[in-house]
Amino acid sequence: MRRFHPWVFSGAIHHIEGQPAEGDVVRVVTSEGAFLAWGHVQIGSIAVRVLTFREDEAIDAAFWRHRLRVAYDVRRSIGLAGSDHTNSYRLVHGEGDDLPGLIIDVYGSTAVVQAHSVGMHVSRFDIADALAEVLDGVIDNIYYKSETTLPYKAGIRDGDGYLRGGAADDIALENGLRFHVDWMGGQKTGFFVDQRDNRALLETYARWRRVLNMFCYTGGFSFYAMRGGAAIVHSVDSSARAIDITRSNVALNFPDDPRHTAFAEDAFKFLDTMPGADDPDGYDLIILDPPAFAKHRDALHNALQGYRRLNAKAFQKIRPGGILFTFSCSQAVNKDQFRTAVFTAAAQSARSVRILHQLHQPADHPINIYHPEGEYLKGLVLYVE
Ligand code: SAH
């Protein structure tokens, strides 16, 4: 904590004075009684999430306003907030914005607020007040969505709904492409804004290629590939709802374009039965962006096996001269471990493979320098001979 890491693990606590309720702001002190931090307390292995290391900083309306204003200034510096070709971005990235447990994504005139800690849930109305003030004139709606991200035992999974406004236009813009965001029913906050830069890179590789977008969710990589001039684009996801939204998103940008087909199918099954490397109907640009295989450290071994198996199928089937965009969004899997899993998969295929790009999360998902755990998205772009 003296190096500003924002978590206190339960095992590090000698005793708790008073009877704080989950989500209360507590004062953290050393065994000598010296002040360390103020933070949200919660039952679980991360017992306190630090809000401030300054003793004289109260957690009040001015605090929320200040933190959100800084977060917004950062997004303006990046060139995202206020851009006329992108209006979807992450405004608050938890620890990366000194607000552990809080995620806020902006989609046009709607902000989606997601609490990952009881403290942020308890503070949701204060956060909404500050958000409405800081983004005055930018957003009209604030949707709160935390049913699946709060600890089950806290018994508070019932707060989802609009905190401001309501029924909004659900179409957002990313690099000039339009898409529907299903913040009420979709995964996470409704769209994966973290792949924005990587999608833009993919667009530059798409010309004339036969593209397979595996784990497409709402089709982000697909409509970029279409704009990049792909010969065909096949989008695959096991969720039928995601496939429906993918179809409507492609149609929104490229109505009646025969190049796109979407399949609601399991990834491994699809990879097993799709055309191989020697088949002219095979793919020469493949995207693999699976869900987090390891949500926790103890699942690490299985996760690495999962990445190896998945990538091995792609190396086996991709056409000669093919480009593979492969990702991991598991926080528990680091860059080197992921690269090793992909390396092992490549070696199994015995093909010549070059690393063209090493990818990561974009600037609106900043990493707090004192909290390396905040680095989660990694990817490789590979040329497969
Ligand atoms: N690439 C997407 C985000 C992917 S999220 C984007 O740019 O927006 C991961 C997706 O994998 C989810 O949509 C989920 O439904 C899908 N998924 C999970 N398991 C799957 C499986 N076994 N086969 C196919 N899709 C799967």
Side-chain angles (χ1 to χ4, degrees):
M1 291 195 75
R2 290 213 160 107
R3 292 274 186 266
F4 306 112
H5 193 285
W7 295 344
V8 181
F9 289 102
S10 57
I13 295 175
H14 181 265
H15 70 276
I16 297 176
E17 280 170 22
Q19 287 179 327
E22 276 199 281
D24 279 357
V25 174
V26 295
R27 185 185 152 91
V28 184
V29 296
T30 66
S31 44
E32 287 79 40
F35 173 84
L36 283 172
W38 294 105
H40 279 146
V41 70
Q42 184 167 327
I43 296 166
S45 105
I46 303 173
V48 181
R49 289 170 171 83
V50 172
L51 295 165
T52 178
F53 290 98
R54 279 180 36 205
E55 189 166 14
D56 62 352
E57 187 171 34
I59 311 306
D60 54 12
F63 167 86
W64 297 110
R65 263 196 317 266
H66 174 66
R67 288 288 156 97
L68 293 183
R69 198 160 280 144
V70 175
Y72 189 58
D73 284 345
V74 171
R75 275 63 184 178
R76 268 208 298 246
S77 309
I78 299 165
L80 282 170
S83 149
D84 52 12
H85 53 87
T86 297
N87 66 12
S88 50
Y89 55 87
R90 180 152 294 188
L91 175 68
V92 172
H93 186 57
E95 287 81 357
D97 286 294
D98 290 332
L99 289 168
L102 182 65
I103 297 292
I104 304 179
D105 286 341
V106 173
Y107 299 110
S109 59
T110 301
V112 182
V113 174
Q114 190 161 68
H116 289 251
S117 70
V118 180
M120 289 301 178
H121 173 76
V122 170
S123 312
R124 65 194 182 283
F125 302 114
D126 296 339
I127 294 167
D129 287 346
L131 192 56
E133 226 181 294
V134 173
L135 267 67
D136 183 35
V138 179
I139 57 160
D140 304 320
N141 314 287
I142 300 178
Y143 188 73
Y144 181 70
K145 185 183 186 188
S146 302
E147 246 161 41
T148 57
T149 54
L150 288 167
Y152 181 70
K153 285 194 201 121
I156 47 174
R157 300 176 137 200
D158 56 1
D160 282 14
Y162 284 97
L163 301 178
R164 286 281 190 296
D169 177 7
D170 75 337
I171 294 179
L173 199 63
E174 188 181 274
N175 291 317
L177 289 161
R178 297 188 307 148
F179 53 90
H180 294 280
V181 188
D182 182 13
W183 47 77
M184 292 168 90
Q187 299 177 41
K188 305 277 167 111
T189 65
F191 191 74
F192 288 84
V193 283
D194 58 358
Q195 289 287 24
R196 180 193 321 106
D197 295 351
N198 301 330
R199 292 185 188 119
L201 179 68
L202 175 102
E203 181 176 351
T204 68
Y205 279 96
R207 184 158 292 273
W208 308 125
R209 290 192 183 265
R210 298 177 58 82
V211 179
L212 173 63
N213 181 9
M214 187 53 82
F215 307 98
C216 67
Y217 187 44
T218 54
F221 284 101
S222 302
F223 39 82
Y224 278 78
M226 306 271 295
R227 188 167 69 178
I232 59 134
V233 179
H234 288 172
S235 305
V236 181
D237 199 286
S238 55
S239 152
R241 187 182 170 86
I243 287 300
D244 283 345
I245 302 177
T246 294
R247 287 195 181 111
S248 60
N249 283 341
V250 170
L252 199 58
N253 296 284
F254 304 95
D256 302 319
D257 193 319
R259 291 176 299 156
H260 182 256
T261 318
F263 304 86
E265 256 189 62
D266 174 72
F268 285 89
K269 210 174 124 206
F270 192 95
L271 288 162
D272 276 339
T273 51
M274 74 187 203
D278 312 327
D279 191 327
D281 287 340
Y283 301 101
D284 51 14
L285 177 46
I286 298 181
I287 301 124
L288 297 177
D289 184 23
F293 283 166
K295 294 243 161 67
H296 304 287
R297 283 245 156 256
D298 27 350
L300 182 62
H301 178 76
N302 285 344
L304 293 174
Q305 292 301 323
Y307 289 119
R308 184 188 52 71
R309 280 178 47 225
L310 182 67
N311 282 277
K313 287 190 196 293
F315 285 123
Q316 184 199 332
K317 296 260 173 118
I318 196 166
R319 303 244 306 134
I323 305 281
L324 176 62
F325 277 64
T326 183
F327 296 96
S328 162
C329 60
S330 307
Q331 202 175 70
V333 174
N334 71 32
K335 214 167 25 196
D336 293 333
Q337 290 163 326
F338 177 61
R339 188 156 149 181
T340 304
V342 176
F343 154 86
T344 312
Q348 267 178 285
S349 73
R351 294 176 74 172
S352 173
V353 177
R354 295 166 173 80
I355 298 177
L356 305 182
H357 303 269
Q358 306 191 47
L359 306 179
H360 36 79
Q361 66 215 56
D364 56 334
H365 295 57
I367 301 158
N368 178 340
I369 203 162
Y370 308 113
H371 177 258
E373 295 91 334
E375 185 172 357
Y376 71 102
L377 182 64
K378 52 252 150 217
L380 295 168
V381 181
L382 306 165
Y383 182 92
V384 187
E385 216 177 297

